[in-house]
Amino acid sequence: MARRSDHTREEQYEMVLAAAREIVVAGGLEALTARKVANAIGYSPGTLYNLFDDFDDLIVHLNGRTLDELHEHLSSVPRTQDPMRDLKRLLRAYLGYLEDNRNLWNVLFEYRLPNNRSLPDWYVNKVAKVLGLIEVALSPLCPSRDPDTLADSARVLWASLHGICSLSGSGKLQVVSDQTVHKMAETLVDCFVSGLQTVHE
Amino acid sequence: MARRSDHTREEQYEMVLAAAREIVVAGGLEALTARKVANAIGYSPGTLYNLFDDFDDLIVHLNGRTLDELHEHLSSVPRTQDPMRDLKRLLRAYLGYLEDNRNLWNVLFEYRLPNNRSLPDWYVNKVAKVLGLIEVALSPLCPSRDPDTLADSARVLWASLHGICSLSGSGKLQVVSDQTVHKMAETLVDCFVSGLQTVHE
DNA sequence: CGTATATATTGAACGACGTTCAATTAAACC
DNA sequence: GGTTTAATTGAACGTCGTTCAATATATACG
């Protein structure tokens, strides 16, 4: 049996990512298997390998979609020129997305490519796009306008926030409530922004 | 075949964790399998289930050992009363341990228990012990001596540092060198400590 | 219109994984 | 020495990602 013309390659790609998304939303990464995705779209497992190099590749594409979603969600927060205010709003939006899309967020950050493989350029660009939002918010704090320093600061803040969400989410910080996570994240932003001002003077 | 008296239960436990450690050091988490551990200690896979609930349990015990090692390594840094100096030294020691024990560190933080299982108390205590080292270093900065605030600050700093190391280690921050990681971590400590002082005034 | 070519699709098969458990063996006890 | 007890085995189960010869259909051509 072969050569069905039910769907184009692009349609299949969309179907796969949509199915993968649903499966992850419902059951997390551990629920996401090749057979289950194939079954959900009405094709056999082998067909997935026409569209993706391997299952890791599929997950990376799914994560790309999640990054797009996250970027869109964060883009909707209004910007003033007050870094502290803007960053607090970004933080709220970020934590909001995390709460509403826990499993997608988990896959986004917990999934690691096997040993020596590195993420594709288009993926790295999506990350950079999100980081750009933080850079914009931070930029009034970097008087020297040194783009490298600004980028570094944004990455530090982004990564730090990730650390808080990640460790607390995996139960490795004896953090009990989302409330505590929010408080810790606020502490981070408060201290970091305030410290950044001091350091740059 | 059964009832060998080659080793006591305790000896077996030690052998398993030593073998698991070696396997992880050599090949990371993906190389760690039940059959390989069993083979390394000269027993069959089934024997592992006399010592551990399941393979997850084994990994948690291995991570417990890693936490002990990390605590011991961090304990060796001398303490002054200068938070910034102490934290910088702790940071250096931390990054040193990470560089020397990459795969162990990766397993420590990347491994997540399946869905709803939570880490055992003895494990949480080991985490708290490491956090205690940061609390001690931070304590001169918390004039109110409010233990909860102090604990939160320590956790924020710890988690933030983890975020930097974790994201850069997985290639999700387009960070190229260990040098950059070190620089970002220094930025974090600088800003956080400086900000903490400002916020508390 | 029929035939040849090309390709999308399948599903069984492979090896590896964690895990289980009846069978087996040796230690411990009386 | 016979009986009980328990540690150990290794084959087996169901799962996983992945492969690939076989197959069926769409397309191109004569």
Side-chain angles (χ1 to χ4, degrees):
Chain A
M1 316 137 183
R3 194 75 165 198
R4 296 159 46 178
S5 59
D6 302 355
H7 309 93
T8 68
R9 187 169 251 262
E10 285 73 24
E11 284 172 332
Q12 286 181 327
Y13 178 85
E14 291 301 322
M15 289 163 68
V16 166
L17 288 195
R21 203 192 116 101
E22 267 188 52
I23 293 169
V24 165
V25 165
L29 181 58
E30 70 180 351
L32 187 65
T33 72
R35 285 174 175 85
K36 220 183 280 186
V37 171
N39 204 59
I41 66 168
Y43 283 80
S44 79
T47 298
L48 297 179
Y49 292 82
N50 292 337
L51 302 163
F52 302 93
D53 298 339
D54 47 34
F55 204 68
D56 300 301
D57 189 36
L58 189 156
I59 297 176
V60 171
H61 277 77
L62 175 65
N63 283 343
R65 286 283 172 95
T66 305
L67 279 176
D68 289 340
E69 276 187 27
L70 183 59
H71 180 267
E72 193 174 16
H73 192 253
L74 295 182
S75 296
S76 70
V77 323
R79 300 170 199 166
T80 66
Q81 279 292 93
D82 179 2
M84 189 65 99
R85 196 209 310 237
D86 287 358
L87 286 171
K88 286 285 180 71
R89 283 175 176 171
L90 279 173
L91 174 62
R92 275 243 302 272
Y94 182 86
L95 294 178
Y97 182 88
L98 198 162
E99 270 185 59
D100 294 340
N101 306 84
R102 269 239 141 72
N103 285 340
L104 285 174
W105 186 89
N106 279 342
V107 174
L108 179 60
F109 285 113
E110 280 165 27
Y111 183 72
R112 285 190 64 152
L113 282 175
N115 259 342
N116 290 3
R117 295 171 55 181
S118 59
L119 292 162
D121 285 344
W122 59 263
Y123 187 94
V124 174
N125 289 339
K126 285 180 193 293
V127 174
K129 223 172 138 191
V130 178
L131 283 175
L133 296 177
I134 305 181
E135 288 183 28
V136 169
L138 274 178
S139 56
L141 286 183
C142 288
S144 62
R145 307 281 175 204
D146 175 19
D148 282 351
T149 306
L150 180 59
D152 270 356
S153 299
R155 287 192 289 182
V156 170
L157 186 53
W158 169 259
S160 299
L161 175 59
H162 162 71
I164 292 173
C165 298
S166 168
L167 280 193
S168 59
S170 61
K172 284 171 177 157
L173 267 184
Q174 60 251 63
V175 165
V176 282
S177 67
D178 284 353
Q179 200 56 34
T180 311
V181 174
H182 201 125
K183 210 181 89 188
M184 288 173 63
E186 292 248 354
T187 302
L188 169 70
V189 173
D190 283 333
C191 291
F192 187 78
V193 171
S194 163
L196 208 57
Q197 285 171 315
T198 309
V199 168
H200 274 300
E201 273 161 13
Chain B
M1 315 136 184
R3 195 73 164 197
R4 294 159 48 177
S5 59
D6 302 357
H7 309 94
T8 68
R9 185 167 250 263
E10 285 72 26
E11 283 172 333
Q12 287 180 326
Y13 178 84
E14 291 301 322
M15 289 163 67
V16 167
L17 287 195
R21 204 192 115 101
E22 267 188 52
I23 293 169
V24 165
V25 165
L29 180 57
E30 69 180 352
L32 187 64
T33 71
R35 286 175 173 83
K36 220 184 279 186
V37 171
N39 204 58
I41 66 169
Y43 283 81
S44 80
T47 297
L48 297 179
Y49 291 82
N50 292 337
L51 302 164
F52 301 93
D53 298 340
D54 48 34
F55 204 66
D56 300 302
D57 189 36
L58 189 155
I59 297 177
V60 171
H61 277 77
L62 175 64
N63 283 343
R65 286 284 173 93
T66 305
L67 278 176
D68 289 340
E69 275 187 27
L70 183 58
H71 181 268
E72 193 174 16
H73 192 253
L74 296 182
S75 296
S76 71
V77 324
R79 300 170 198 166
T80 66
Q81 279 292 95
D82 179 3
M84 190 66 99
R85 194 207 313 236
D86 286 359
L87 287 171
K88 287 284 181 70
R89 283 177 176 169
L90 278 173
L91 174 62
R92 277 244 302 272
Y94 183 86
L95 295 178
Y97 183 87
L98 198 163
E99 269 185 59
D100 295 341
N101 306 85
R102 268 234 143 76
N103 285 340
L104 285 174
W105 186 89
N106 280 341
V107 174
L108 179 60
F109 286 113
E110 279 166 27
Y111 183 72
R112 284 189 65 152
L113 282 175
N115 258 342
N116 290 3
R117 295 170 56 180
S118 59
L119 292 162
D121 285 343
W122 59 261
Y123 186 95
V124 174
N125 288 338
K126 286 180 193 292
V127 175
K129 224 173 136 190
V130 178
L131 284 175
L133 296 177
I134 304 181
E135 289 184 29
V136 169
L138 274 178
S139 57
L141 286 183
C142 288
S144 62
R145 307 280 176 203
D146 176 18
D148 282 350
T149 307
L150 179 60
D152 271 355
S153 300
R155 286 191 290 183
V156 170
L157 186 53
W158 169 257
S160 299
L161 175 58
H162 161 71
I164 292 172
C165 297
S166 168
L167 280 193
S168 59
S170 61
K172 285 172 177 154
L173 268 184
Q174 60 252 62
V175 165
V176 283
S177 67
D178 285 353
Q179 199 58 33
T180 310
V181 174
H182 202 125
K183 209 181 90 187
M184 289 174 61
E186 292 248 355
T187 301
L188 168 71
V189 173
D190 283 334
C191 292
F192 187 78
V193 171
S194 163
L196 209 57
Q197 283 171 317
T198 310
V199 168
H200 274 301
E201 271 161 14

